[in-house]
Amino acid sequence: MTPKQVLEFAKENEANVADLRFMDFPGVWQHFTVPLSELEESSFDDGFGFDGSSIRGWQPIHASDMLVVPDATTAKMDPFFEVPTLVLIGNIVDPVTRESYTRDPRYIAQKAEAYLKSSGIGDVAYFGPEAEFFIFDDIRFESSNNRAFYEIDSVEGIWNSGREECPNLGYKPRHKEGYFPVPPMDKFQDIRTEMLLTLEGLGIDVECQHHEVATAGQAEIDMRFKPLIQMGDQLVWFKYVLKNVAYKHNHTVTFMPKPLFQDNGTGMHTHCSIWKDGNPLFAGDKYAGVSQEALYAIGGILRHCRALCAITNPTTNSYKRLVPGFEAPVNLAYSSRNRSAAIRIPMYSASPKAKRIEFRTPDPSCNGYLAFSAMLMAIIDGIENKIGPGEPLDKDIYGLPPEELAEIPSAPGSLDEALDALQQDHEFLLKGDVFTKDVIEKWIEYKIENEVNEVKLRPHPHEFFLYFDI
């Protein structure tokens, strides 16, 4: 849409207000609302002012003024607000220089797309994330100087098989058996379908929805692949819709990678492909029907995977999922069908258009704009520098003898390790000024000060179980 068309769209839908939204540095959608009378065609150039010092990881207090400039192509009507509300995603601009803000995740994604085109490798990068999540009935947590706990509950939780529910009707998925029985074992079919239909009502193409492996309401809804920025926009809408549909039904959704002990964590397997002049670059006659460029792309991701994890798996909780010896894809290898490898080449279709690589290590706690951009930069680096991925690993990784398994590199074991890897290996992200040194430095600083150290400093409840009687 053009700005003029947006105003007409708002009028047709009887919108009374406009909601301006943007992504903060760690990856949470922010917003403020203005009367529709404040939105004019000039607003799409002039923008709206806000306090950038109150946004995590952004401006200092002495240089706090920022602008959010709405992008007319992102206009949608909010499906939840009582008052008809036009929603516009905005780009962040410095009000003095009128330059795009380097720490705006959406701007980083725009630069990544532009760099791909300038490289001559391709003209569009498609991303298709499979963002898993949990639907819980109740969540309580506290962390203070003398007390810490969390408690999760779900009508589906196998731990409630003996609970008085007046009556307890059973049908609760056992650990690792949630993939994917029909109702009444699956309690959330209708809610997931409502989520799916709400997404489609917003113009977001959905391929399927289903229960996932874990007990207690683990689920997955898959969006059809889209270009990088469009998928970045869709991922924030995705999280927003799922949380609000669940909330409407007195449930809660979390994209936390590992909320449950001794059951599957939540990943975001991400399908990637590059096209040029309408042709799929990753289709060819090499291993599993991919091209040499696709193999170099895999080599780029594997080469930089430990650094990528600081962005694609950016929480301390991410590494409760990425534990060697279990099902999570921590082994830096590739395969055509082996789901225990970090990169898989899906074999569902023989069509050249379906040829893509699937990076299985990421999780949905990430900032999609940053994660997709970082993946693309690793792919480009692999292709430009002809980084070979080595031989494919079509064996059962977890059945390998220890001496053979020791030769396979592994993803980081903690956020500290990932941030250290990013500190050592980020030159590929700086190409084309996509990620700036300031962004990398601020990301590492923010994560260490606000997450790594905050978790390190606190006793863990299980430590009392282990050590109180020493």
Side-chain angles (χ1 to χ4, degrees), residues 22-65:
F22 58 91
M23 181 73 86
D24 72 7
F25 205 43
V28 175
W29 227 7
Q30 309 292 325
H31 81 128
F32 62 90
T33 306
V34 300
L36 198 64
S37 59
E38 290 292 306
L39 186 69
E40 303 172 345
E41 287 190 52
S42 60
S43 303
F44 293 85
D45 292 318
D46 298 340
F48 295 86
F50 70 97
D51 177 7
S53 68
S54 296
I55 304 299
R56 297 180 299 170
W58 278 9
Q59 290 294 88
I61 192 69
H62 65 272
S64 60
D65 289 352

Side-chain angles (χ1 to χ4, degrees), residues 6 19 22 44 79 155 165 182 209 224 266 296 303 364 397 406 451 455 466:
V6 170
D19 206 47
F22 58 91
F44 293 85
V155 68
E165 294 182 350
V182 298
Q209 63 91 345
R224 184 170 175 78
T266 290
Y296 289 147
R303 168 77 60 85
I397 291 177
E451 299 176 32
V455 171
L466 294 172

Side-chain angles (χ1 to χ4, degrees), residues 379-401:
I379 286 170
I380 293 172
D381 190 61
I383 295 171
E384 287 184 331
N385 291 294
K386 295 181 170 55
I387 300 173
E391 293 300 314
L393 188 64
D394 291 327
K395 304 175 184 177
D396 177 6
I397 291 177
Y398 301 114
L400 293 177

Side-chain angles (χ1 to χ4, degrees), residues 7 20 34 78 215 224 255 313 327 334 383 392 409 418 422 443:
L7 297 178
L20 287 305
V34 300
D78 188 279
T215 189
R224 184 170 175 78
F255 292 92
N313 304 78
E327 293 183 14
Y334 73 102
I383 295 171
L422 180 62
W443 183 260

Side-chain angles (χ1 to χ4, degrees), residues 272-275 280 282-284 287-290 345-347 349-357:
C272 319
S273 65
I274 294 178
W275 288 52
F282 285 179
Y287 172 79
V290 300
I345 301 170
M347 302 299 291
S349 173
S351 170
K353 293 182 178 181
K355 279 303 171 187
R356 61 204 189 271
I357 60 177

